[in-house]
Amino acid sequence: MTAAEAAPTAESAPATPVPESTAPVPEPTAPAPGATPPRAPLVARASAELIGTALLVAVVVGSGIQATQLTKDLGVQLLANSTATVFGLGILILLLGPVSGAHFNPVVTLAEWWTARRGGPGVTPREVAVYVPAQVVGAIAGAVLADAMFGEPLVEWSTHDRSAGHLLLGEVVATAGLILLIFGLARADNLRFAPVAVASYIGAAYWFTSSTSFANPAVTIGRAFTDTFAGIAPGSVAGFVVMQIVGAVVGLALVALIFMPARSRSERSAG
């Protein structure tokens, strides 16, 4: 006899009222797979973007200062700087990604707005207006914090000129690759790998791009405030930012090309 057969039916057994005090309390149900989770308040998301960008720049600038104090070998300095950035960025994405998406980067935020504008998931214009200033303020604060930790002048404009054409090309490549990676992961439903994938890409791009892969307008602005290993002269900032925007456009175009939706058989026949 099955459990269903053994259980009395509503007709065969009278219903026994359960005292209110002993009635079972239904357990809260988890969201269905694929359901949109509740979003954190905008102030929490903006705070995550500000603090995350500040800590990212503090890692980049601080590790650069530490490296130059420990060795005069430029290759070892870059290795130390890139290694610290890989670990720091991965941890920050893992920690703050569930809150704000862990953009820490205006071109990522703008690219998300563009995809939302075309019917995909992303941020609203109001969120863009909050995220981008938070990222820029955070980047400046992170550079000042790093200088303070190492006894450097809190604000000293960088004298590290980065205006050469090959460096600008490097920023296009670095930013296009970053956008292709992030939005390609999203299209392939693999964003759970973003902490490792994005951090690994930035670490690699430190070495394979001539510009050492800033790939981030907010970080670029913040690094102008420190005359240390990771700094960039204010006169070079505009060129880098423009090339980063160009790189973001190229990256989105590559995403659209590579991850275009598959067509059904009937659509292929009609074409």
Side-chain angles (χ1 to χ4, degrees):
M1 180 181 289
T2 66
E5 292 171 331
T9 65
E11 292 79 9
S12 63
T16 302
V18 179
E20 186 176 348
S21 59
T22 60
V25 178
E27 297 183 2
T29 57
T36 302
R39 302 194 73 184
L42 184 56
V43 65
R45 285 178 277 143
S47 298
E49 286 298 303
L50 188 151
I51 293 170
T53 311
L55 292 176
L56 173 59
V57 174
V59 168
V60 173
V61 174
S63 62
I65 297 172
Q66 184 80 285
T68 56
Q69 291 179 353
L70 294 176
T71 179
K72 299 300 181 184
D73 188 310
L74 187 59
V76 176
Q77 291 172 358
L78 187 60
L79 178 62
N81 192 212
S82 60
T83 302
T85 301
V86 167
F87 287 117
L89 179 57
I91 290 169
L92 289 170
I93 296 173
L94 185 64
L95 174 65
L96 299 175
V99 180
S100 68
H103 297 183
F104 314 146
N105 188 335
V107 294
V108 173
T109 300
L110 289 170
E112 275 216 1
W113 165 77
W114 179 258
T115 61
R117 188 172 164 273
R118 297 176 64 83
V123 294
T124 64
R126 178 169 176 256
E127 290 168 325
V128 172
V130 173
Y131 273 33
V132 172
Q135 292 157 356
V136 173
V137 171
I140 296 170
V144 173
L145 175 62
D147 283 340
M149 288 192 293
F150 287 91
E152 300 288 338
L154 296 185
V155 175
E156 187 173 16
W157 298 117
S158 176
T159 56
H160 194 161
D161 180 75
R162 300 179 188 262
S163 58
H166 65 283
L167 301 179
L168 299 177
L169 175 60
E171 278 303 287
V172 174
V173 173
T175 310
L178 178 63
I179 296 299
L180 173 60
L181 171 63
I182 293 171
F183 289 86
L185 287 175
R187 290 284 185 95
D189 195 23
N190 282 324
L191 274 176
R192 62 190 178 279
F193 300 117
V196 172
V198 174
S200 299
Y201 172 79
I202 292 297
Y206 255 87
W207 291 90
F208 79 76
T209 64
S210 56
S211 63
T212 65
S213 183
F214 285 48
N216 185 327
V219 169
T220 303
I221 293 169
R223 288 168 66 166
F225 284 73
T226 177
D227 193 20
T228 59
F229 178 79
I232 176 173
S236 301
V237 168
F240 263 48
V241 170
V242 170
M243 291 301 104
Q244 289 157 0
I245 294 171
V246 171
V249 173
V250 172
L252 286 174
L254 291 174
V255 171
L257 175 64
I258 296 171
F259 295 93
M260 64 175 61
R263 296 189 301 169
S264 65
R265 182 175 299 178
S266 58
E267 288 175 328
R268 291 196 298 268
S269 300

